[in-house]
Amino acid sequence: MTRTRRAPSGAAVLRVELTDAIVEVVIDELAEKGYARTSMDGVARRAEVGKSSLYRRWSSKQDMVADAVSQLSVPLVDIPDSGSLRGDIERAFEMVVQWLSDERLGRILPDLTAEAKRNPALAKALTEHLEEPRRAKAEPVLDRAIARGELPPDVDRELALDIFAAPIYWRYTVRRTEITPEFLATLTDSTLAFLGARPAKKRRR
């Protein structure tokens, strides 16, 4: 999967290529061992770096994990303007499927979701590094739809952003059911109806 990496905050003087290599190790460790058995010591050994290299980048295991997963995930939420809410939603759904279909993420995300239920520090780190940035990147879809007159200005943003990912996550990760083009088409129609979408206003010439 192609992705654009962002350096951890405050890491401007750190070697980007080393950070990238460590992140790959973190992802591999999570996919193979799960969160509980992933450790700073284990990552350092596998990456062949000292633990100090990790602590210069992340203050804790949960921050390291959340930031590593975000670098695999957050860049995939840049949804281009298709010119319509329907087109934007279709693209958003395609990107969620692409995200969840990543072999390593498919193993990592359910484990982190379960772990976060009993680990407040991890839950906080995932919210800050993963959830909030992903939702912020999806907000322009709503802004564009409001500007085109397709959605009312008071649309429930939180609920709308939930719908952009939750049904697919549930079907793919929890029910382990195939995501078909027919399902995505039905989900798109249902989402537009639920949000009360209207035809875009014609622009005056």
Side-chain angles (χ1 to χ4, degrees):
M1 179 181 294
T2 302
R3 57 188 180 276
T4 302
R5 287 283 172 74
R6 62 178 178 80
S9 58
V13 298
L14 299 177
R15 289 170 49 202
V16 175
E17 67 275 12
L18 179 57
T19 301
D20 286 350
I22 295 172
V23 164
E24 285 296 325
V25 168
V26 174
I27 296 298
D28 286 339
E29 288 279 291
L30 289 170
E32 294 171 15
K33 300 178 179 179
Y35 179 83
R37 295 175 58 204
T38 295
S39 67
M40 301 287 271
D41 286 328
V43 169
R45 283 195 301 271
R46 186 165 179 169
E48 299 182 343
V49 299
K51 282 179 65 177
S52 60
S53 293
L54 304 186
Y55 283 109
R56 282 198 296 270
R57 291 164 170 81
W58 303 283
S59 61
S60 64
K61 170 185 168 179
Q62 59 262 19
D63 281 334
M64 176 184 71
V65 166
D67 188 61
V69 175
S70 76
Q71 293 189 41
L72 195 67
S73 305
V74 174
L76 296 179
V77 199
D78 289 311
I79 304 169
D81 186 355
S82 69
S84 72
L85 178 59
R86 175 178 289 277
D88 286 358
I89 289 176
E90 289 174 342
R91 181 58 181 144
F93 288 164
E94 290 171 0
M95 294 169 77
V96 172
V97 172
Q98 180 187 5
W99 177 50
L100 295 176
S101 298
D102 181 272
E103 184 178 353
R104 292 183 297 177
L105 275 176
R107 296 197 294 268
I108 291 170
L109 289 175
D111 175 62
L112 290 182
T113 299
E115 186 66 35
K117 289 289 187 181
R118 53 183 175 266
N119 187 330
L122 175 62
K124 182 175 183 292
L126 289 174
T127 296
E128 293 176 351
H129 288 277
L130 184 60
E131 178 186 343
E132 290 177 350
R134 282 186 64 87
R135 292 175 79 85
K137 280 179 170 282
E139 287 253 17
V141 170
L142 303 178
D143 295 334
R144 295 194 296 257
I146 291 170
R148 290 190 293 256
E150 295 173 289
L151 290 178
D154 62 350
V155 64
D156 188 331
R157 287 175 173 264
E158 289 299 306
L159 184 56
L161 293 174
D162 284 345
I163 294 172
F164 286 171
I168 297 174
Y169 180 87
W170 178 266
R171 187 177 182 90
Y172 189 88
T173 304
V174 180
R175 295 190 61 207
R176 297 178 298 281
T177 302
E178 181 183 5
I179 304 296
T180 64
E182 293 76 18
F183 169 75
L184 292 178
T186 300
L187 182 59
T188 299
D189 289 340
S190 298
T191 299
L192 290 168
F194 182 80
L195 295 176
R198 303 170 295 216
K201 295 179 180 177
K202 294 183 179 180
R203 295 182 179 179
R204 295 180 180 178
R205 296 182 178 179

